[in-house]
Amino acid sequence: VSAEGGSSASLAAEPAGGGATYETLLVTTEDKITTIKLNRPAKKNAITTEMYNDIIAALDQAAKDDSVITVITGAGDFYCSGNDLSNFTKIPEGGLQEMAKKGGDLLRSYVKAFIDFPKPLVAVVNGPAVGISVTLMGLFDLVYATDRASEMLLFNKKLSAEQACELGLVSEVFPDSSFQTEVWSRLKKYAQLPPNSLALSKQLIRSMEKQRLHDVNDAEVERLMERWTSDECFQAVMSFFQNKAKL
Amino acid sequence: VSAEGGSSASLAAEPAGGGATYETLLVTTEDKITTIKLNRPAKKNAITTEMYNDIIAALDQAAKDDSVITVITGAGDFYCSGNDLSNFTKIPEGGLQEMAKKGGDLLRSYVKAFIDFPKPLVAVVNGPAVGISVTLMGLFDLVYATDRASEMLLFNKKLSAEQACELGLVSEVFPDSSFQTEVWSRLKKYAQLPPNSLALSKQLIRSMEKQRLHDVNDAEVERLMERWTSDECFQAVMSFFQNKAKL
Amino acid sequence: VSAEGGSSASLAAEPAGGGATYETLLVTTEDKITTIKLNRPAKKNAITTEMYNDIIAALDQAAKDDSVITVITGAGDFYCSGNDLSNFTKIPEGGLQEMAKKGGDLLRSYVKAFIDFPKPLVAVVNGPAVGISVTLMGLFDLVYATDRASEMLLFNKKLSAEQACELGLVSEVFPDSSFQTEVWSRLKKYAQLPPNSLALSKQLIRSMEKQRLHDVNDAEVERLMERWTSDECFQAVMSFFQNKAKL
């Protein structure tokens, strides 16, 4: 096993558990840990429509396999740069309204998959994280971050991993030099704990807030669908692509 | 614009947006920021009955004007020393019971104005804060404090701004020397963000807890009305004024 | 009064307020503070079935006496090492199912006593704390810990007192050398505050979450009763006693 742990190119070619393969993800199971690795490093692991669906499917599979812990991490130097804005440029025949409707349904299902996930879920934040990959951190049971990670949030404010840790969004921050070694050795130890007790503890804790989380998800998606069709959003996306074209 | 930003004596004489003027507040709108400055520095900005009503009115106006962000801050060296205890010495004809009833109604409306405020609301805590000005901090979207600020809370325990920050009551603490410059330059930048998205984000977050906040407000006011007519409260207020008279 | 404050062997022989005496607890009232001291130092204050019942009774009595503040602390070097595993070895005639039922009823009553306790409740964490003594900290109004305290939690992760403080589980950490002096001088000062206001403030705060806390307690006990009869639990308890026998 490499220092990066959990998955490697050679393992990816031979997925454990006879699982599905994905174009944008590397999914492996080793040492009772299923690792879902976002695998678009050239695009800083920005999430396309296809990837949202793939992650939902991979979580669904991880929930059923015989692993004890499930990990999400990123290939390369980024954890995840958030929603791929190219998702906004593929306007379907039904126009903006239809795009907003489809996008809303997808986002609702995506967040739902995290709310309902039954086993301990760990984010191994190997680099910068942006947008939805930051806002979802609250739905993980553990968030381990390298000190190389910086994030963006409400008000466009950048948070360091240490600041996110003080806010309770990140569980613990490690020096980048020992990040992979340290994190995977812990996770392997945790994966030896009684699996039913771990899963049932998580479900017990989650059950007390699950309805509220689903309500929040619904309210947020409804608001986003309205926002996506607003002038403010249109201007912001246009301005993003214009600035990009200038580079 | 002065380094203190947001308002100055000359601006106060000429309020923007044709707004109302208040004897105890300076309210100005500049750079899409409406600033409500508590203006009784000689009394450390203690809040009188008149000021409670004025702040409610100023918030109501700020909610409707075309500013993006609303700021509350204090004139002089104090942010706010809390409830002006002289409010307790003006016993109306109906006696203590009537005073408690009127005080309770006013406090309920005051807190309600913060719970329902629809735009991003920022506390610029320019100096020490006491009592209700501390307990209300949880209803702001951002609380920026100078490191010169010290507070008082439950059990009469003094908190430093740094401690309040660790507790999540204060968002960020700045050195007093650069406090005004740093804070206002940030707020001006935030005020350039898409205004509807900011307001709608806040409303979305708040909507999930609004009913509960109103319930807490009602329960707290009901209990306070009973407490205000108790012997313990009478003794504490008497003792405050006796100690003051001895100085 | 000794530096350990609140209680001493001589006082224990002559309990204040004509209160009951307990084999496993020292309960004293002094300076308006009722102190419940876990008194099995040779067993690191592990909680037996008898002690659960005694603590419930002592809390019930403290709620009614004329003290202002109630303190729970440990005799000797440990605060509390959690549930005494010997509780699991006394299988009643009804077998495992009956033991789980009785254990569940006891635990539910125990946690209920903390949820419903009407006065300010303070944990004086004089040394390491494990298991249920850590998970209950959230139900105290103040948790003062010596820096000598280390704890164990979810995932078997050890927390230092400082880490528990950053997580909000501990209110403040003191150097062990001045811990007893510092903590008791504060508590004596707090005990001089208006007693009704203190109790009513606590009840007001608690009232907003009391129903939810009872729901969580019920759900957790139900799940534990199922877990206690599982193979995983049986293996873990067996392994504990086997390892102990080897020492």
Side-chain angles (χ1 to χ4, degrees):
Chain A
V1 180
S2 74
E4 267 197 280
S7 74
S8 70
S10 60
L11 272 172
E14 192 188 338
T21 55
Y22 305 93
E23 204 169 318
T24 61
L25 307 175
L26 288 173
V27 182
T28 52
T29 301
E30 207 181 334
D31 298 322
K32 299 189 189 167
I33 303 170
T34 290
T35 302
I36 299 171
K37 187 183 274 195
L38 312 186
N39 195 27
R40 287 180 78 220
K43 293 290 183 182
K44 299 175 176 171
N45 300 319
I47 310 179
T48 59
T49 300
E50 184 199 0
M51 269 171 95
Y52 283 115
N53 283 312
D54 285 354
I55 296 169
I56 294 171
L59 284 172
D60 191 51
Q61 199 185 340
K64 292 173 197 154
D65 71 19
D66 59 358
S67 66
V68 174
I69 288 176
T70 301
V71 168
I72 296 188
T73 190
D77 290 336
F78 256 72
Y79 173 63
C80 173
S81 57
N83 186 46
D84 192 315
L85 284 184
S86 74
N87 295 340
F88 283 120
T89 59
K90 299 161 195 151
I91 313 286
E93 274 195 30
L96 259 187
Q97 293 299 336
E98 166 116 5
M99 189 191 77
K101 169 101 183 55
K102 282 191 171 173
D105 289 344
L106 180 60
L107 182 64
R108 187 188 291 107
S109 308
Y110 184 68
V111 175
K112 195 173 177 313
F114 285 83
I115 296 174
D116 290 336
F117 194 73
K119 298 175 180 179
L121 184 62
V122 181
V124 172
V125 182
N126 57 299
V130 177
I132 190 171
S133 73
V134 178
T135 54
L136 275 196
M137 284 180 186
L139 293 175
F140 284 78
D141 301 290
L142 276 176
V143 177
Y144 288 150
T146 168
D147 57 10
R148 219 169 40 75
S150 65
E151 285 120 311
M152 292 181 70
L153 266 186
L154 185 65
F155 276 146
N156 292 350
K157 183 159 165 20
K158 277 191 198 181
L159 284 178
S160 68
E162 282 82 6
Q163 288 170 318
C165 192
E166 280 163 25
L167 293 173
L169 209 56
V170 162
S171 320
E172 201 167 341
V173 180
F174 300 85
D176 195 55
S177 57
S178 58
F179 179 63
Q180 296 287 352
T181 324
E182 182 77 23
V183 160
W184 290 103
S185 81
R186 286 207 196 182
L187 293 180
K188 281 170 195 169
K189 219 165 49 188
Y190 294 157
Q192 302 306 316
L193 293 173
N196 292 326
S197 284
L198 277 188
L200 292 170
S201 288
K202 175 185 173 153
Q203 288 163 28
L204 181 60
I205 294 167
R206 180 58 50 92
S207 70
M208 287 298 149
E209 50 182 10
K210 196 178 259 189
Q211 188 50 54
R212 193 174 149 83
L213 289 170
H214 284 308
D215 292 347
V216 169
N217 187 21
D218 289 343
E220 196 167 340
V221 164
E222 204 177 327
R223 181 53 54 90
L224 268 175
M225 283 165 57
E226 179 270 318
R227 286 284 84 198
W228 284 334
T229 58
S230 73
D231 273 357
E232 281 183 3
C233 181
F234 182 75
Q235 297 299 336
V237 173
M238 288 284 286
S239 146
F240 174 83
F241 284 108
Q242 280 169 2
N243 286 333
K244 213 173 154 188
K246 283 185 205 148
L247 295 179
Chain B
V1 179
S2 75
E4 266 198 283
S7 73
S8 69
S10 61
L11 272 172
E14 192 189 337
T21 55
Y22 305 93
E23 206 167 318
T24 61
L25 305 177
L26 288 172
V27 182
T28 52
T29 301
E30 208 180 333
D31 297 323
K32 299 191 189 166
I33 303 170
T34 289
T35 303
I36 299 171
K37 187 183 272 194
L38 312 186
N39 195 26
R40 287 181 77 219
K43 294 290 183 183
K44 297 175 178 174
N45 300 319
I47 310 179
T48 60
T49 300
E50 184 198 1
M51 269 171 96
Y52 282 115
N53 283 312
D54 285 354
I55 296 168
I56 294 170
L59 284 172
D60 191 49
Q61 200 185 339
K64 292 173 197 153
D65 71 20
D66 57 359
S67 66
V68 173
I69 287 175
T70 300
V71 168
I72 295 188
T73 191
D77 290 338
F78 255 73
Y79 173 64
C80 173
S81 57
N83 186 46
D84 192 316
L85 283 184
S86 75
N87 295 340
F88 284 120
T89 59
K90 297 162 194 151
I91 313 284
E93 274 195 30
L96 259 188
Q97 293 297 336
E98 166 117 3
M99 190 191 75
K101 168 100 181 56
K102 281 191 173 173
D105 288 343
L106 181 59
L107 182 64
R108 188 188 290 107
S109 307
Y110 184 68
V111 176
K112 194 174 178 311
F114 285 82
I115 296 174
D116 291 335
F117 194 72
K119 298 175 180 179
L121 184 63
V122 181
V124 172
V125 183
N126 57 300
V130 178
I132 190 171
S133 72
V134 179
T135 54
L136 275 196
M137 283 179 188
L139 293 176
F140 284 78
D141 300 289
L142 276 175
V143 178
Y144 288 149
T146 168
D147 58 8
R148 217 169 42 76
S150 65
E151 284 120 310
M152 293 181 69
L153 267 184
L154 185 64
F155 275 146
N156 293 350
K157 185 159 165 17
K158 277 192 197 181
L159 285 179
S160 66
E162 281 82 6
Q163 288 170 318
C165 191
E166 279 163 26
L167 293 173
L169 210 56
V170 161
S171 322
E172 201 167 340
V173 180
F174 300 85
D176 195 56
S177 56
S178 58
F179 179 63
Q180 296 287 352
T181 325
E182 183 77 24
V183 159
W184 290 103
S185 81
R186 286 206 196 185
L187 294 180
K188 281 170 196 171
K189 220 166 48 189
Y190 294 158
Q192 302 306 317
L193 294 172
N196 292 326
S197 284
L198 277 187
L200 292 170
S201 287
K202 173 184 175 156
Q203 288 163 27
L204 181 61
I205 295 168
R206 181 59 49 94
S207 70
M208 287 298 149
E209 50 181 9
K210 197 178 259 188
Q211 188 50 53
R212 194 173 151 83
L213 289 170
H214 284 307
D215 292 347
V216 169
N217 187 21
D218 289 344
E220 196 168 340
V221 165
E222 204 177 326
R223 182 52 55 90
L224 268 174
M225 283 165 56
E226 178 270 317
R227 285 284 84 198
W228 284 334
T229 59
S230 71
D231 273 357
E232 281 183 3
C233 181
F234 183 75
Q235 298 298 337
V237 173
M238 288 286 285
S239 147
F240 174 83
F241 284 108
Q242 280 168 0
N243 286 334
K244 214 175 153 186
K246 282 184 205 149
L247 296 180
Chain C
V1 179
S2 74
E4 266 198 281
S7 73
S8 71
S10 60
L11 273 172
E14 191 188 336
T21 55
Y22 305 92
E23 205 167 318
T24 61
L25 306 177
L26 288 173
V27 182
T28 51
T29 302
E30 207 181 334
D31 298 322
K32 300 190 189 168
I33 302 171
T34 290
T35 302
I36 300 170
K37 186 182 273 195
L38 311 186
N39 194 27
R40 288 181 77 220
K43 293 290 184 183
K44 298 176 178 172
N45 300 318
I47 310 179
T48 60
T49 300
E50 184 198 2
M51 268 172 97
Y52 282 116
N53 282 312
D54 285 354
I55 296 170
I56 294 171
L59 284 172
D60 192 49
Q61 199 185 340
K64 292 174 197 153
D65 71 19
D66 58 359
S67 67
V68 174
I69 288 175
T70 300
V71 168
I72 296 188
T73 190
D77 290 336
F78 256 72
Y79 173 64
C80 173
S81 57
N83 186 47
D84 193 315
L85 283 184
S86 74
N87 295 339
F88 284 119
T89 58
K90 298 161 194 151
I91 313 285
E93 275 195 28
L96 259 188
Q97 292 298 336
E98 165 117 4
M99 188 192 76
K101 168 101 183 56
K102 281 192 173 174
D105 288 344
L106 181 58
L107 182 64
R108 187 188 290 107
S109 308
Y110 184 67
V111 176
K112 195 175 177 311
F114 285 83
I115 295 173
D116 290 336
F117 194 72
K119 298 175 180 179
L121 184 63
V122 182
V124 171
V125 182
N126 57 300
V130 177
I132 190 171
S133 72
V134 178
T135 54
L136 275 196
M137 283 180 187
L139 293 175
F140 284 78
D141 301 289
L142 276 175
V143 177
Y144 288 150
T146 167
D147 57 9
R148 218 170 40 76
S150 66
E151 285 119 310
M152 292 182 70
L153 268 185
L154 184 65
F155 275 147
N156 293 350
K157 184 160 165 18
K158 276 193 198 180
L159 284 179
S160 67
E162 283 81 6
Q163 288 170 317
C165 192
E166 278 163 28
L167 293 173
L169 210 56
V170 162
S171 320
E172 202 167 338
V173 180
F174 299 85
D176 195 56
S177 56
S178 58
F179 178 63
Q180 296 287 352
T181 326
E182 182 77 23
V183 159
W184 290 102
S185 80
R186 285 206 195 184
L187 293 180
K188 281 171 196 169
K189 218 166 51 188
Y190 294 159
Q192 302 306 315
L193 293 173
N196 292 327
S197 284
L198 277 187
L200 292 170
S201 288
K202 174 184 174 155
Q203 288 164 27
L204 181 61
I205 294 168
R206 180 60 48 93
S207 69
M208 287 297 148
E209 49 181 11
K210 196 178 259 188
Q211 188 50 55
R212 193 173 150 84
L213 289 169
H214 283 307
D215 292 348
V216 169
N217 187 21
D218 289 343
E220 196 168 339
V221 165
E222 203 176 328
R223 180 53 54 89
L224 268 174
M225 284 165 56
E226 179 269 318
R227 286 284 85 199
W228 284 334
T229 59
S230 72
D231 273 357
E232 281 183 3
C233 181
F234 182 76
Q235 297 299 337
V237 172
M238 288 285 285
S239 148
F240 174 85
F241 284 108
Q242 280 169 0
N243 287 332
K244 214 174 151 186
K246 284 184 204 148
L247 295 180

